[in-house]
Amino acid sequence: MKRVHPIAGFIGFLTILCFWMSTLVVELFGSAAAILAVKTGILWGMIVLVPSLAITGATGFRLAGPVLTGLVRAKQRRMPVIAANGLLILVPCAIVLQRLAADGQYTSMFYALQVLELIAGAVNLTLMGLNIRDGLRMT
């Protein structure tokens, strides 16, 4: 469990970082076809992301045990924000943005959702980075 938790967490972090960087680069320099390819790739990438985050959460709760103090408590306070941000903002944005890109609808709605997705992704990367930092401090 002590090995699975950091590996799963790191895979989740890297996956989100890849999604975020790919989105930023393709929005700045890519064609409509490239944007669609990235948006579709992100949806397929959920096959890696969702299980890695679920494993990270489950193993983290198990490793934490019943006493929640210090860095463990800080990590656990961040987890609901990361999960809610992912489930309520990032996943719906990814689905809608892919559909809009598939339909060639690069409207103000597309770009507003894209900005929201980038901000929410940056928040999750920051919170997950803090969790990684705290996890390294604990070991």
Side-chain angles (χ1 to χ4, degrees):
M1 191 127 25
K2 287 185 178 186
R3 286 188 181 183
V4 172
H5 179 74
I7 291 169
F10 196 64
I11 289 170
F13 179 84
L14 286 180
T15 303
I16 294 172
L17 182 61
C18 181
F19 291 173
W20 198 90
M21 292 298 298
S22 299
T23 294
L24 186 62
V25 169
V26 80
E27 289 295 336
L28 293 175
F29 306 111
S31 64
I35 292 170
L36 175 59
V38 166
K39 295 298 161 195
T40 302
I42 287 171
L43 290 183
W44 280 105
M46 297 289 175
I47 294 170
V48 172
L49 180 62
V50 172
S52 70
L53 294 180
I55 291 167
T56 303
T59 57
F61 279 111
R62 182 113 187 233
L63 286 169
V67 179
L68 304 176
T69 60
L71 295 176
V72 172
R73 180 68 185 134
K75 289 179 68 157
Q76 284 203 328
R77 279 195 315 249
R78 292 182 199 117
M79 287 310 300
V81 177
I82 293 168
N85 194 14
L87 293 173
L88 301 175
I89 298 173
L90 291 171
V91 170
C93 278
I95 294 167
V96 172
L97 286 166
Q98 193 280 334
R99 289 301 335 136
L100 291 172
D103 293 341
Q105 294 189 15
Y106 298 101
T107 63
S108 58
M109 172 66 87
F110 178 89
Y111 291 105
L113 288 174
Q114 188 58 83
V115 168
L116 175 63
E117 183 185 54
L118 285 168
I119 292 169
V123 168
N124 268 14
L125 286 169
T126 300
L127 294 174
M128 291 173 74
L130 291 171
N131 277 1
I132 291 169
R133 178 202 66 192
D134 290 348
L136 290 171
R137 285 181 179 170
M138 291 167 43
T139 58

